[in-house]
Amino acid sequence: MSELTVPPNRLKILLAEDSPSVRKGLESFLVKWGYEPISTDNGDHAWEVLEKDPSIRLAIIDWTLPGLSGIQICQRLRTRTNAPYVYAIMFSARKSHEEKLLALDGGADDFLVKPCKPSELRARLGVGRRIVETAFGHQPKSQEPNNQSIDTPPKPKD
């Protein structure tokens, strides 16, 4: 990751993007939204990071990367059996219907055409987070803005 300061106990997210300007912009948004981006600029390094760090449960992956492509990374994610599920968003300038289907059939959970509105990316990351936290039982020890842990539900008022 670059020189961004990330508070502890944030949900890690892999950011595989080869464009330095796009990567830096996404890193800034991710930190602002409460994530800890782990950034790579090529597919081979992205795969190494995913293999070494099972705490990464979300990924934004560019389709066209040096080394392994985004599709190849997604295919590998879906065939591995010894690691937690990673919710993968394919982030690409490709926008044809056929390419979207290819990405989703290839293992991506979602597909976003770049450039996209930050609010749409944030919403889709929220979906991915909700899925890995509820369906797959991963709940990081992080604090929401109201200082309530997302690990524990609010206490009911009597």
Side-chain angles (χ1 to χ4, degrees):
M1 197 177 89
S2 64
E3 59 278 339
L4 294 171
T5 303
V6 180
N9 299 321
R10 300 277 186 120
L11 183 64
K12 291 181 182 178
I13 180 167
L14 174 76
L15 173 57
E17 171 60 58
D18 61 332
S19 166
S21 60
V22 172
R23 190 172 57 249
K24 187 164 183 68
L26 288 172
E27 286 173 346
S28 295
F29 280 118
L30 292 170
V31 169
K32 179 180 173 185
W33 298 335
Y35 297 98
E36 178 183 345
I38 309 299
S39 298
T40 67
D41 62 0
N42 70 73
D44 295 331
H45 187 238
W47 182 248
E48 286 176 26
V49 169
L50 287 167
E51 283 288 279
K52 290 179 182 174
D53 190 345
S55 69
I56 296 174
R57 303 300 301 278
L58 296 171
I60 300 170
I61 306 169
D62 186 10
W63 184 311
T64 308
L65 292 167
L68 291 172
S69 71
I71 292 287
Q72 290 172 311
I73 293 169
C74 288
Q75 289 170 337
R76 286 184 179 196
L77 282 172
R78 300 306 165 237
T79 58
R80 68 181 187 169
T81 58
N82 60 342
Y85 192 87
V86 175
Y87 187 90
I89 298 174
M90 184 68 68
F91 192 58
S92 177
R94 299 174 186 230
K95 48 186 152 187
S96 77
H97 182 69
E98 292 76 18
E99 289 167 322
K100 290 178 187 177
L101 293 177
L102 184 61
L104 295 170
D105 287 343
D109 295 293
D110 200 350
F111 187 95
L112 265 175
V113 176
K114 59 180 169 180
C116 74
K117 293 192 179 293
S119 58
E120 184 174 5
L121 176 59
R122 185 177 188 181
R124 291 178 186 230
L125 285 170
V127 169
R129 184 177 188 147
R130 185 170 61 242
I131 288 171
V132 297
E133 288 179 357
T134 57
F136 299 105
H138 174 77
Q139 295 186 347
K141 305 267 189 240
S142 65
Q143 296 291 317
E144 290 297 302
N146 64 3
N147 292 325
Q148 177 181 337
S149 170
I150 62 171
D151 295 327
T152 55
K155 294 183 180 182
K157 294 182 180 178
D158 293 325

